[in-house]
Amino acid sequence: MRDEIKEVLISEEEIQQKVRELGGVLTKEYEGRFPLVVGVLKGALPFMADLTKRIDTHIELDFMDVSSYGAGTVTSGEVKIVKDLNTSVEGRDVLIVEDIIDSGLTLSYLVKLFHYRKAKSVKIVTLLDKPDGRKVDLVPDLAGFTVPDAFVVGYGLDFAERYRNLPYIGVLKPEIYGT
Ligand code: XMP
Ligand code: MG
């Protein structure tokens, strides 16, 4: 698997250092507020697992699965709820945890949905931000790293469901996604 990676963009150590930093910021932000932390499946899973361990105050966890992507690398612009929350967001401070913001379509849909469902506040923390890919105006409240407009994999991010289990963020060799 690792010989299919052309380049490591963000190392495991850099990710873990950033996750500690973000956890510290979120601890201060949400101290005493018992936020609902919503992980967006499946990509946010590793980030969600590591980040929540660095938030040193009470939180509740939940997950949503929405999809705007098929098996390939091009967005369809369509957002579909595959799995909804188990918890009501009404009156809650909601923190959405995402792996990457590209077009911004997925997140702008979720933010609107949670406001419609009467959340008290909705904030976004994303590990990666790809601002060059934006199709809607959306700025995350917290972002770990800005990445160039290339398809990246690892630490939750997949190509055709593979590579999510890499501990770092990398770029695939062109012959892999070309086939
Ligand atoms: P949007 O475009 O709605 O996309 O902001 C968010 C979702 O798109 C996926 N995505 C990627 N997945 N490498 C991936 O493996 C990428 O470079 C990439 N860019 C976007 C991702 O699932 C994210 O949740
Ligand atoms: Mg995703």
Side-chain angles (χ1 to χ4, degrees):
M1 176 171 68
R2 295 192 185 217
D3 59 352
E4 292 157 28
I5 302 297
K6 184 176 83 175
E7 187 196 344
V8 175
L9 278 187
I10 307 165
S11 71
E12 186 172 359
E13 292 69 30
E14 289 173 298
I15 293 173
Q16 294 307 326
Q17 175 55 40
K18 186 64 77 177
V19 164
R20 277 194 291 274
E21 255 176 56
L22 294 172
V25 172
L26 291 168
T27 300
K28 288 202 188 92
E29 170 94 31
Y30 287 107
E31 192 93 66
R33 292 166 63 190
F34 193 46
L36 182 66
V37 180
V38 175
V40 185
L41 295 171
K42 300 175 238 181
L45 187 68
F47 181 42
M48 175 93 167
D50 288 344
L51 180 66
T52 53
K53 284 179 278 186
R54 301 293 174 182
I55 302 177
D56 191 13
T57 188
H58 293 294
I59 60 174
E60 182 173 356
L61 306 187
D62 205 342
F63 294 92
M64 261 188 103
D65 191 357
V66 293
S67 79
S68 62
Y69 272 71
T73 58
V74 182
T75 182
S76 64
E78 209 180 297
V79 179
K80 183 171 80 179
I81 296 184
V82 180
K83 182 225 169 282
D84 208 336
L85 295 176
N86 294 332
T87 321
S88 166
V89 301
E90 191 172 341
R92 301 291 301 268
D93 292 305
V94 177
L95 174 68
I96 306 173
V97 180
E98 187 46 308
D99 50 358
I100 186 166
I101 304 179
D102 187 359
S103 70
L105 290 165
T106 311
L107 266 288
S108 74
Y109 172 82
L110 284 183
V111 169
K112 276 187 209 134
L113 179 70
F114 294 157
H115 281 305
Y116 172 78
R117 292 179 177 178
K118 302 193 172 67
K120 185 170 158 196
S121 70
V122 183
K123 291 206 168 186
I124 298 168
V125 57
T126 184
L127 179 70
L128 306 180
D129 190 7
K130 208 193 260 188
D132 295 342
R134 273 316 182 282
K135 290 189 181 148
V136 291
D137 190 21
L138 185 109
V139 181
D141 300 279
L142 273 177
F145 304 92
T146 299
V147 289
D149 199 7
F151 200 76
V152 294
V153 297
Y155 199 68
L157 293 148
D158 71 304
F159 174 64
E161 296 303 324
R162 295 175 196 237
Y163 309 102
R164 293 191 197 274
N165 51 326
L166 284 173
Y168 52 77
I169 304 285
V171 181
L172 285 177
K173 290 181 178 167
E175 59 262 37
I176 306 295
Y177 58 75
T179 53

